[in-house]
């Protein structure tokens, strides 16, 4: 997504290159913040903080890491810090994956979930589970890229993602059944 | 295969992580198990919905919005060297400031202390001539008492020398914090403080540091390298206060086990290495010339240690979230490689 040449220029002290680079990534940084924090104003603040940190720390980026995972690491760290200060979350079942309930299959009508429902369901996930979901679906990251960004072992990434999806599925299913639509 | 195992296959299928065989297992199970089939449908729906969440954009240009802050950062020099904000470091910063302010009130004038410094130097020279390790005869006893008074004199002298310097640095740091409003400012200020205090050799845990009696402009690396190559020559040249603590430091660094912020000597005495900010610099002991410098690391290098053949320097870098990366620097090849655990 960002040219390696541009990154090197930015690292060598070319300020214009660094500004260009920040412009290229600002949307990606913002999008992650938006879905982790579920609030536009917080996301704008967090994204700006992340961009400033990227600006000051560009020299510490090493090419052995992917640039996109390096920037997502910065923004998710900032968001998770903010998030910890702001709100409590429901605990997620950390034990082995099980079916939460015997699903009632018979006359289930599959219909699209409302975006608002999905966002509020994501908002109920614990911070790291949420970050994994956001990187997987909003940044289209692989398991490995998520692991690099969040500094988590690969297996942890998978289990967070799987549990998160299961939890989301359960929550959304409940919304549909209860007709509680946003 | 039970439903729970199939659940994992479903999940991995959503991420296109299954091979042909696994996919076959999943499909044959869902054909027979309506519960799993329904669950898989719901998960696929969820995954599709997550994929199509709106690709939101910021309502204004974030880079334009932070431009004034970026310009202020630029004005105040290169702050990318700042440490990763460390909560413990942040908490220390105000404490250091207040400690320094207190000192400058107590010892306002350096001139008054001039005589005390001179007394310290005399006592120090005496100590160098008669090392404290000498046998406990009458001379040794005398020496012991004078070394005590020396330690006091040295402490007072060094405190006053620091004061002139620290009052300047304190105000500078404060101005910077006021002008820069982002989160890193505290860490930056802390970093500046670190630099100042290391220049000053200001470390309350080692009150006998020989650099303390010196004018603050004297570079610490020169002093410490002189110490190791020839203690008496080094101290004679600089008119230093020498004391047992300094000798202890010296012998420790000789073994390559010195504290993180001081020089670590190779066993053959040819090189010494020192962590400076985010890099390690390796100097030739003979002429103190810089021989190697490693690339910038993601954290501050620590735990420097030389191999027995003096050819490799191993060190650790503390990166984010407490993780530690281990590196080996080879002085023959000049290669800096990340070591496996």
């Amino acid at each position: 997504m960002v040219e390696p040449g541009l990154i090197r220029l930015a690292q060598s002290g070319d300020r214009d290159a660094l500004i260009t680079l920040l412009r290229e990534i600002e949307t990606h940084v913002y999008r992650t913040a938006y879905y982790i924090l579920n609030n536009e104003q917080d996301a704008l603040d967090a994204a700006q903080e992340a961009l400033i940190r990227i600006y000051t720390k560009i020299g510490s980026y090493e090419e052995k890491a992917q640039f996109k995972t390096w920037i997502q690491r910065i923004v998710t760290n900032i968001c998770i810090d903010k998030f910890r200060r702001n709100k409590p979350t429901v605990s997620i079942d950390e034990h082995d994956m099980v079916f939460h309930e015997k699903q009632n299959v018979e006359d289930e009508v599959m219909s699209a979930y409302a975006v608002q429902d999905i966002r509020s369901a994501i908002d109920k996930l614990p911070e790291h589970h949420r970050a994994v979901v956001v990187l997987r679906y909003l940044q289209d990251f692989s398991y490995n890229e998520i692991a690099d960004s969040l500094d988590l072992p690969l297996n942890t990434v998978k289990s967070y993602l799987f549990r998160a999806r299961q939890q989301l599925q359960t929550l959304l299913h409940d919304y549909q059944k209860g007709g509680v639509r946003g | 295969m039970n439903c729970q195992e199939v659940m994992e296959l479903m999940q991995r299928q959503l991420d296109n992580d299954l091979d042909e065989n696994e996919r076959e297992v999943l499909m044959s199970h869902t054909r027979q198990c309506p519960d799993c089939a329904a669950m898989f449908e719901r998960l696929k729906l969820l995954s599709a919905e997550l994929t199509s969440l709106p690709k939101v954009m910021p309502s204004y240009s974030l880079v334009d919005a932070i431009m004034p802050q970026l310009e202020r950062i630029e004005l105040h020099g290169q702050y990318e060297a700042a440490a990763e904000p460390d909560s413990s470091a942040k908490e220390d910063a105000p404490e250091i400031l207040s400690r320094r302010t207190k000192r400058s009130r107590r010892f306002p004038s350096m001139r008054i202390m001039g005589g005390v410094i001179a007394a310290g130097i005399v006592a120090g020279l005496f100590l160098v001539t008669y090392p404290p390790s000498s046998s406990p005869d009458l001379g040794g006893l005398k020496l012991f008492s004078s070394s005590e008074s020396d330690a006091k004199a040295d402490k007072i002298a060094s405190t006053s020398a620091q004061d002139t310097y620290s009052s300047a640095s304190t105000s500078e740091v404060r101005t910077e914090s006021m002008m820069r409003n982002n989160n890193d400012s505290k860490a930056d200020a802390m970093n500046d403080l670190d630099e100042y205090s290391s220049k000053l050799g200001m470390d309350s845990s080692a009150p006998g540091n020989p650099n303390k009696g010196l004018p603050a402009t004297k570079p610490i690396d020169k002093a410490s390298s002189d110490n190791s190559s020839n203690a008496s020559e080094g101290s004679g040249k600089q008119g230093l206060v020498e004391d047992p603590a300094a000798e202890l430091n010296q012998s420790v660094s000789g073994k390559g086990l010195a504290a993180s912020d001081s020089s670590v000597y190779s066993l053959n005495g040819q090189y010494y290495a020192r962590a400076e900010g985010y890099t390690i610099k390796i100097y030739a002991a003979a002429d103190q010339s810089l021989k190697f410098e490693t690339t910038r690391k993601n954290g501050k290098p620590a735990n420097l240690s030389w191999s027995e053949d003096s050819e490799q320097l191993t060190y650790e870098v503390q990166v984010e979230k407490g993780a530690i990366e281990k590196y080996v620097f080879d002085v023959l090849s000049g290669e800096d490689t990340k070591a496996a655990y």
Side-chain angles (χ1 to χ4, degrees), chain B residues 180-192:
Chain B
R180 290 177 310 110
N181 231 350
N182 66 58
N183 257 7
D184 284 350
S185 65
K186 276 187 202 159
D188 294 340
M190 186 56 211
N191 221 38
D192 293 344

Side-chain angles (χ1 to χ4, degrees), chain B residues 112 152 168 243 306:
Chain B
I112 294 172
K152 276 177 214 148
D243 69 1
W306 286 92

